[in-house]
Amino acid sequence: MHKTTSFKPKSLKSTLLLSTALFGAVLTGPALAGQPVEARVQKLEATILELQRELDAVKKDQAAVAAKPAQDIGVVFKGPAIEASDGSWSFKVRGRVEADAAFYDKTGGNNPVDLNNGTELRRARIGVDGKIFHDWLYRLEADVAKGSRNDQTGSEVDVKDAWIAYAGLPNTRITVGQHKTPNSLEQLTSSTDLVLLERPLAVEAFNHRLTAGGDFKAGVSVGYTGTNYTATGGVFGSNFAVNSNTAGGAANDEGWGVHGRATFAPIQEKGKVLHLGTSGYWRNAGGQNGFGGTSVRFRSTPEVSAVDGHRFVDTGNLAADTYTSAGVELGGIYGPFFAQAEYLVASVDQTGVLPDYNFDGGYVTLGYVLTGESRNYRNGLFSRVKPANPFSLKGGGAGAWEIAARFSTIDLNDGALLGGSQDNYAFGLNWYPNDNIRVGLNYVRIDAERAGVTTEADAVVTRVGVSW
């Protein structure tokens, strides 16, 4: 019994080579017929050896192809982030934790309130962001710091960013969801990048996310970024924490408005920047803003964390029909020197025959990096110092050290409305051990007056923060 062995070529190239060899053997067969048997055998052996060499070469080619890595999309791990090797998608875990301690000393005035010393988990944010199919971006971030304060508040999770964006057009981003309105240089600056630990009086009062027109709100915006300029505009409703509900027997519509900001940097180099900007908003107050049916309210903390909840300037609830705010921005970097200033105004058009009101405020901030680094600037915003020599006991690095000073003022008085006025003088020292950790120390001098009640106080606040 004979056993038959079949040969199956593994590639088109193998098939062609084998077919060519057999075809050649068929063609040469007649030519060899008249030759001696030994000569014919030698020629056939030579043909078989040549065929074997060709087959060996094909096998080597196939082995080399098999050894190459697959063309599937790889995954690259970068700390708390992963991304596709071709950049088509990414996923990053982001967050920040900031813990404060504040100490007050009332030095004058007739205000009987007692200012409380203490500690505060100022922020505890966790979130994710990334990219999908190259052109789509997303972010979801919430602050859970309130969970450490009072389990009965009912608002222990505060959603900040919750948006998706399309960035498939040149230099353009279209964002849908809850994100910051394009208002105020200082308001748009992340808390991790602030020079002083808290934002100035007028920025806080006119851009509060619940009681006024700025900060995190649900909406649609379009932003364009040029070489040294930006332009952003959008339509925004209220913060997700504000719901249309029933108060006093009447349904309350959420407020909405049109917001915009433009910036221009005639000088934009590494360590040398001149920033100019303007922003503003017009808003319909709707029927409520988170305070059970009221419309708008301008007030501010004294720029000393949230350890003590007293506010020395406050318009109270205003029955607004519409309200507006506008501001101008000036900032600059020159080596280790930094300067920033804003002037802001706000107007309230009340319902019916009630009077209209106008308020204003502003600030000037100066800073200097003792270790020689510069603050950074990108797309119309300033950001924190990156230490040239991160702190290390082994390597001898000291991190980056920065000093700063600020004058801040606000006037919420207009006619019969006595919302108060306040001037603050603040001085700060920042230490950046590395790109992710910041230790800050601020001294704030408070001088406030509202309806004849005066407050004079000194405050010291410290903060340890980490972000990733």
Side-chain angles (χ1 to χ4, degrees), residues 104-118:
Y104 294 86
D105 179 24
K106 275 185 62 178
T107 59
N110 57 15
N111 193 336
V113 301
D114 179 29
L115 301 177
N116 302 304
N117 304 328

Side-chain angles (χ1 to χ4, degrees), residues 180 184-191 193-194 199 381-382:
K180 280 189 175 183
S184 173
L185 171 59
E186 187 81 344
Q187 187 65 45
L188 290 170
T189 301
S190 170
S191 66
D193 297 322
L194 297 175
R199 293 183 173 90
L381 294 174
F382 294 99

